[in-house]
Amino acid sequence: MTSDVRHSLPTHDVLNQPPARGDQDLWATDPVLQANVGLAGGRTDPLISYAQTIGQAEVRELGREANRHPPELKQFDPGGRRLDEVQFHPAYHHMMRLSRSAGYATLPWDGEPGGHATHAAMVYIASQIEPGHCCPLTMTYAAIPTIAAHSDIASAWHPKLMSPQYDPATKPIGEKTGATLGMAMTEKQGGSDVRANTTRALRDGDHWRLRGHKWFCSAPMSDGFLTLAQARGGLTCFLVPRWLEGERNAIHLMRLKDKLGNKSNASAEIEYHDALAYQMGEEGAGVRTILEMVHHTRLDTAMAPAGLMRAALSEAHHWVTHRTAFQRRLLDQPLMRAVLADLVLDWEGALTLGMRVARSFDGHTAEDRAFARISVALAKFLNTKRCPVVVAEALEVLGGMGYVEDTPLPLLYREAPLNGIWEGSGNVICLDILRTLSREPLAAEVLGAELNAAKGADRAYDAALRAHRERWPALPAEAEARWFAERTALLLTASQLLQNGPDAVADGFIATRLSGHSGRIPGSVAGLDTDALLGRLG
């Protein structure tokens, strides 16, 4: 605590340094989150409790510890017998217990309304503190409906996946109080082209045996993995348990990935050596089966960037509020205010669009499902592309301190590109957007209706929407897919801000993102209501 530290040192007094932040209530200090959760129909009680707990200084430090001490692979025991286990720092287990018990992975499936919106808000909150532990919980969240659809497997797995208990023990599923699931799809020769997978599946009685490799296995410490392999009938989805009754399944962890960021979370290269597997979905329909899981994980990759932006901006705002230069607070200097106000537009736009997408995930109509399908791809594309820019600028606000591991900014910076890669990189997402609009007329219809809903509220928005439709009266050629996706996502964000956001945010977003009244570098703006925009930071 600041009261316990010494400010007067033998060579100098410590002055002009922001105070330690202490406990943070990530709900009470975020009116933008509160408003969007209300609009999306989310449940406030679990969010209030979660945000207060995870924002405590002690918990934030545990998140830092989990990243300072990354997981280690233990392939063999001292006698040379295979273990294939991942060992984690206790801080990581603490984060997992906290988020699991809060309902991060299970709220959308408990039958109560607003579950996906509440989950999306939890992703946003958790990403501000320790994003690495989100991966296995996100995979579990996304896999639950796939498991539930297969009665022969669901009886053993579904209750464990829905449990609020985090159980990291290496045991068969029947002996555990709770379970997590991972995913293993990509192979080194194909990457996103999973149809090029070479892992083979051979029948073994009622089940299957898999032989092959996976170049990227998300969360290899999980109790099971949804994976793809080539069966006689084509590429098929399987559940591969990590443990069988009385023995380990033949899943060999070859090495952990030494990643740029996401250090607390393990990702691995694995091999299947005739590993036992259960078929999920129809033989030959593996991509279609696993896409439901991918669809849900994309919601999280759209929401996490908003949380990272919020965390970075919060640190920058704290710094400029308490730091002076040239006889003035940094917060009072016009150029600094312009930079931060411009960044607020990216963050609030990302959060608003993400929560609107989450609301459609909670819907039950064909229109809701169609909108979820197209909007989650648009939100993921735009939010992930803006996140590294926002975090880098926030880091620069702190100057040299922002580049030092004593602050959270380096962790946030390393994390910033991740969600743009997971569950489809930018080009893959853009091509998916074109495919969806081409093959699903209802998706194009509901997207158009959502854009039209904001017409008449702002002449600049109307002009931008008209120009967009004149530029692309039909779907663009592949080479223009990014341009089309960016403009569509910006218009969709602006429509949400016009319908539900304050004038300062909507007007500023449209002027700078749609009307061209800005440069390409954050802060290259004029005419923003900086007082109102900076007030959005709480």
Side-chain angles (χ1 to χ4, degrees), residues 27 43 76 125 195 236 261 407 411 419 463:
W27 175 265
R43 310 177 211 167
F76 302 95
I125 292 168
R195 295 188 187 278
T236 304
T407 74
L411 184 154
N419 293 282

Side-chain angles (χ1 to χ4, degrees), residues 260-327:
L260 168 68
N262 207 245
K263 294 290 189 179
S264 70
N265 174 50
S267 302
E269 298 168 27
I270 67 171
E271 290 182 354
Y272 297 132
H273 291 256
D274 296 328
L276 185 73
Y278 308 119
Q279 182 178 332
M280 306 289 289
E282 298 177 10
E283 189 173 338
V287 173
R288 185 170 71 245
T289 302
I290 210 164
L291 274 180
E292 181 179 8
M293 182 177 183
V294 172
H295 176 61
H296 286 97
T297 57
R298 280 185 179 173
L299 174 61
D300 290 22
T301 60
M303 285 303 304
L308 297 173
M309 286 188 257
R310 166 67 185 184
L313 280 172
S314 179
E315 292 296 324
H317 188 249
H318 180 71
W319 179 266
V320 300
T321 300
H322 297 281
R323 179 86 166 171
T324 62
F326 311 110
Q327 290 76 54

